[in-house]
Amino acid sequence: TAPQAAERLVACALDAFGRLDAVVLNAGIIESRTVAESTEADLARLYEVNTLSAFRLTRAALPVMRRQGAGRLVYTTSTAGLDGGEGLAAYAMAKGALLGLMRAVAAEEAAHGVFANAVCPTAVTRMTEAFVGDPAMRATLAPELVAPAVAWLASEACDVQGRTILAAGGLF
């Protein structure tokens, strides 16, 4: 969430690889509170991590990708950002805003060869494990089963713009 972290990340990638072909914007935190229990500070914290960090990194990566004439931005959203959910207002608002950012970038950067899309994973991770207790369901929703969708969206083979790919259990 540090404002200068995005520029440092891009510089680090350029130092290590000489170019920046893809960025997966995957930062996220979740908190469960009803709207009546939530504070503006709760919303600000979730928005800072889930949305502003992605905005900052996008803004830092775009000049490099434009100069290269190509690049892929993959935003990680959530079904909560699409459908909401009980106790997830602040999280859903932040992830919904991320979809708006992705769609704007897709429209603005197509002429520069930069593609922006989102993945909407259903997977058991450190962030979501508290919500899935059944061991069989945990195995079915392993994060590595979402990875092929992310890899395709980040690749030169991806020829779509402004899309949200739902990914769960190896199905897309």
Side-chain angles (χ1 to χ4, degrees):
T1 59
Q4 289 73 35
E7 287 82 12
R8 289 195 306 265
L9 283 168
V10 169
C12 183
L14 291 174
D15 288 347
F17 305 109
R19 52 185 295 117
L20 183 62
D21 295 307
V23 177
V24 178
L25 301 113
N26 192 46
I29 60 171
I30 191 169
E31 294 177 0
S32 183
R33 287 189 185 81
T34 66
V35 172
E37 297 168 332
S38 295
T39 67
E40 287 190 28
D42 296 331
L43 176 59
R45 184 174 45 259
L46 270 72
Y47 191 79
E48 180 79 25
V49 173
N50 293 313
T51 310
L52 279 180
S53 66
F55 173 78
R56 290 175 181 139
L57 188 51
T58 298
R59 197 174 54 198
L62 283 176
V64 175
M65 291 180 167
R66 281 179 169 187
R67 278 194 304 273
Q68 295 171 171
R72 300 293 186 267
L73 297 162
V74 182
Y75 297 85
T76 303
T77 188
S78 167
T79 53
L82 299 173
D83 301 323
E86 184 179 343
L88 297 175
Y91 179 73
M93 290 168 66
K95 288 298 188 173
L98 194 61
L99 288 170
L101 171 62
M102 176 274 294
R103 289 182 187 119
V105 172
E108 293 169 359
E109 298 302 323
H112 301 285
V114 179
F115 287 58
N117 292 287
V119 63
C120 183
T122 300
V124 178
T125 65
R126 286 179 299 173
M127 191 172 84
T128 62
E129 65 189 352
F131 301 103
V132 183
D134 179 48
M137 185 61 79
R138 283 174 174 259
T140 300
L141 298 177
E144 55 268 20
L145 297 175
V146 171
V150 176
W152 179 72
L153 290 169
S155 75
E156 290 180 355
C158 176
D159 60 355
V160 299
Q161 274 277 26
R163 302 279 177 84
T164 301
I165 305 296
L166 283 79
L171 301 174
F172 312 106

